[in-house]
Amino acid sequence: MIAFKNTIALTSVCLAALMFGLEISSVPVILPTLEKVLHGNFNDLQWVMNAYTIACTTILMATGTLADRFGRKQVFIISIIMFGIASLICGLSQTMPVLIISRFLQGMSGGAMLICQVAILSHQFTGSKERARAFGIWGIVFGAGLGFGPIIGGLIVAVLSWEWVFLIHAVLSVLTLLLILNGVQESKNPEAKRLDVLGIMTLSVSVFCLTFFITQGTTLGFHSTISITIITISVLSFIAFIITENKIQHPMFDFSVFRIRNFSGALLGSMGMNFSFWPFMIYLPIYFQSALQYDSITAGLSLLCYTLPTLVIPPFAERLSIRYQPGVVIPFGLFIIGLGFILMWFGSSAEHASWLTMLPGTLLAGTGLGLTNTPVTNTSTGSVASTRAGMASGIDMSARMISLAINIAIMGFILVSGVLSYLRSNLSVNLNALEWRSLSEKIAAGNITSIHQISPLDSSGSIAHAAITYGFSWIILYGAIGVWILAFFSLMSFSPWKNSVSK
């Protein structure tokens, strides 16, 4: 009976993990469709993704404390219900503002789901072998959601409609809820600490304002009073966050862990992956569908080359970590991601660019991610005392989500800037600064036909296609250089040669 209930509980947790992963990797494929159907601009498309990631960040640390105090099962149930309702609203949205707001609610409930999953598995499976098997299955399902999300999203759009990319989760949420009620045991932590409300608020405000400044700065004017006010609030909020976490008795971020070289090195690995690989996944479907003119299914299949190595490589990464130390494997994995980006840069610049010219780079970048991801998670939690593992895991997840949110915005800014630079050099038309920016954002979002209104002679949209390709070359180089810089600092933090000497 206990084994049967554990199986039901594991199934419910795996379904929740699948939904969380799918909502990250399947949505990018439908962004070009959303731009056309809901008449969104480029900033709207960025916020469709960033609303989810920022919301995850705001709720991650709070959920752990709330679940410990009020019960992991109870909080898990609430998060599943909210995720289902938010997914339903997403699928029924008729305007971009409604979709973005519902994506924020979906991200909050998704982040709560994610934290509860780990706590429930840890409590439900007490034996070491049972727990290892449960976490192994959970990891495979979570990875499958991320890895196969692009093709699943493409198929749903082709067979049904974009709405079902969200509505399917409303259905899965009902099934998951039934399984939770019949299989998951309730558990609490009688020694749960107080909720760090001030820390959560100051960090969330800082990240939101910084992301808003990057995405909206061109529209508002980076030197305008509003923009300067927003970035000032971001900086002041971050300073307040640091002061708060150093003064309160039970901070959600204990900065003393940054003195541990292995923890800091692993955290830089987390930031490196979400500095390059994951934010670029948001824009890669736009390249496949707009620059290469693939349909949603072909784009989804092309993206599999980018994501599938992340499922295959982790077991090898674990063996390499045991043999050569995480301090070697993690920076090496980041370096491989950067090398993959360089190959993608060459592939996208080829005379007859296609998924085949991009294939070596996408496979190599995915391999680098696979080498980095699992060692980062194990090292960040394993380098601190077991009593602080939850806090370390929370810092790791927050670093990932914050890096992702900020770099989605930065890559979008770089893409539009690259498109704008190409258009100004190759279009002989008289436009003011706002008109140039508007045209660049439309093309960057995949609206290639928008150039016909400005340049009727370019009936084939060749300039627009060249412009978006040029813009993508900029963000590919940004991803490569950025992840290599973080690989270097990660290596310096680990200093594996010191460990070798001490041995």
Side-chain angles (χ1 to χ4, degrees):
M1 187 66 180
I2 293 176
F4 179 69
K5 282 204 166 189
N6 283 351
T7 301
I8 294 176
L10 178 59
T11 305
S12 70
V13 169
C14 285
L15 271 176
L18 181 67
M19 288 191 290
F20 183 86
L22 285 174
E23 278 307 279
I24 291 177
S25 63
S26 64
V27 174
V29 180
I30 68 169
L31 291 179
T33 303
L34 294 177
E35 188 269 335
K36 296 172 185 174
V37 175
L38 298 185
H39 310 292
N41 57 36
F42 186 71
N43 288 341
D44 291 333
L45 300 186
Q46 288 179 289
W47 280 108
V48 167
M49 294 305 304
N50 257 342
Y52 190 85
T53 54
I54 291 174
C56 279
T57 305
T58 63
I59 204 71
L60 278 173
M61 301 301 294
T63 303
T65 303
L66 293 173
D68 286 345
R69 178 175 293 184
F70 298 107
R72 285 80 179 247
K73 179 178 179 178
Q74 183 175 333
V75 174
F76 194 35
I77 288 172
I78 294 171
S79 67
I80 293 293
I81 292 172
M82 295 305 298
F83 191 83
I85 293 172
S87 299
L88 182 64
I89 299 172
C90 284
L92 298 177
S93 299
Q94 298 298 310
T95 63
M96 273 295 187
V98 173
L99 178 59
I100 291 168
I101 292 170
S102 54
R103 279 285 284 173
F104 187 86
L105 297 175
Q106 195 184 38
M108 290 186 70
S109 50
M113 280 193 325
L114 183 63
I115 292 298
C116 289
Q117 290 165 34
V118 178
I120 286 170
L121 288 181
S122 297
H123 175 79
Q124 195 95 17
F125 298 90
T126 53
S128 58
K129 289 185 178 179
E130 273 189 317
R131 182 177 295 181
R133 177 178 170 273
F135 271 100
I137 294 171
W138 172 75
I140 291 171
V141 174
F142 185 79
L146 290 171
F148 289 96
I151 185 59
I152 291 173
L155 284 170
I156 290 175
V157 171
V159 176
L160 298 170
S161 63
W162 69 267
E163 290 92 343
W164 279 98
V165 172
F166 301 108
L167 292 177
I168 189 68
H169 297 294
V171 178
L172 289 176
S173 294
V174 174
L175 176 59
T176 305
L177 184 61
L178 293 174
L179 292 170
I180 294 170
L181 293 171
N182 288 282
V184 175
Q185 301 170 8
E186 183 60 282
S187 62
K188 298 180 182 180
N189 180 5
E191 299 179 1
K193 299 173 183 177
R194 293 180 59 187
L195 188 63
D196 182 9
V197 177
L198 192 57
I200 293 168
M201 288 181 62
T202 50
L203 181 60
S204 301
V205 168
S206 179
V207 174
F208 178 83
C209 287
L210 177 58
T211 307
F212 190 88
F213 174 79
I214 297 168
T215 54
Q216 307 297 136
T218 50
T219 303
L220 299 172
F222 284 111
H223 301 292
S224 67
T225 303
I226 297 177
S227 292
I228 293 172
T229 301
I230 290 169
I231 195 62
T232 302
I233 292 172
S234 177
V235 172
L236 292 176
S237 294
F238 188 69
I239 293 171
F241 168 72
I242 294 174
I243 294 171
T244 299
E245 298 307 285
N246 278 297
K247 284 195 172 184
I248 64 173
Q249 187 175 1
H250 299 297
M252 66 176 186
F253 271 49
D254 183 353
F255 289 107
S256 65
V257 296
F258 292 109
R259 300 191 192 105
I260 303 171
R261 286 192 290 110
N262 281 1
F263 180 83
S264 296
L267 198 67
L268 287 164
S270 287
M271 294 171 62
M273 293 184 297
N274 292 276
F275 195 97
S276 54
F277 185 92
W278 290 118
F280 187 61
M281 186 176 171
I282 310 302
Y283 297 102
L284 201 48
I286 298 176
Y287 173 77
F288 283 133
Q289 294 184 56
S290 299
L292 301 183
Q293 297 180 288
Y294 292 162
D295 57 34
S296 58
I297 294 180
T298 307
L301 285 169
S302 301
L303 273 170
L304 285 180
C305 304
Y306 191 67
T307 57
L308 282 185
T310 66
L311 302 180
V312 178
I313 300 300
F316 299 100
E318 279 300 286
R319 294 177 188 174
L320 289 173
S321 293
I322 294 170
R323 185 170 182 178
Y324 297 107
Q325 305 176 40
V328 174
V329 176
I330 291 172
F332 177 70
L334 294 179
F335 175 78
I336 294 298
I337 293 174
L339 192 59
F341 269 66
I342 293 298
L343 290 182
M344 281 192 282
W345 182 76
F346 282 111
S348 65
S349 305
E351 186 176 351
H352 300 289
S354 68
W355 71 273
L356 281 172
T357 62
M358 295 285 285
L359 181 62
T362 54
L363 286 175
L364 201 59
T367 299
L369 193 283
L371 285 171
T372 309
N373 193 27
T374 306
V376 158
T377 303
N378 293 344
T379 305
S380 62
T381 54
S383 59
V384 300
S386 58
T387 54
R388 306 168 86 187
M391 181 271 301
S393 178
I395 293 177
D396 176 41
M397 289 301 299
S398 297
R400 293 177 189 232
M401 292 298 177
I402 291 170
S403 300
L404 179 60
I406 292 172
N407 279 285
I408 288 174
I410 292 175
M411 282 190 174
F413 174 78
I414 292 172
L415 175 59
V416 172
S417 299
V419 172
L420 175 60
S421 175
Y422 187 90
L423 291 178
R424 279 186 160 170
S425 300
N426 292 273
L427 272 183
S428 300
V429 292
N430 187 22
L431 301 176
N432 60 41
L434 288 177
E435 289 172 331
W436 277 117
R437 194 79 197 177
S438 176
L439 177 61
S440 302
E441 288 182 349
K442 288 177 181 177
I443 292 173
N447 187 356
I448 300 297
T449 58
S450 59
I451 199 170
H452 297 168
Q453 301 170 0
I454 306 297
S455 180
L457 294 177
D458 187 26
S459 57
S460 63
S462 59
I463 293 178
H465 284 108
I468 200 168
T469 300
Y470 184 73
F472 265 91
S473 71
W474 282 26
I475 59 173
I476 292 173
L477 285 177
Y478 166 80
I481 294 170
V483 75
W484 275 348
I485 290 172
L486 285 168
F488 173 77
F489 283 114
S490 177
L491 183 65
M492 291 298 102
S493 179
F494 277 116
S495 299
W497 51 86
K498 292 184 180 179
N499 292 335
S500 298
V501 171
S502 64
K503 288 180 181 179

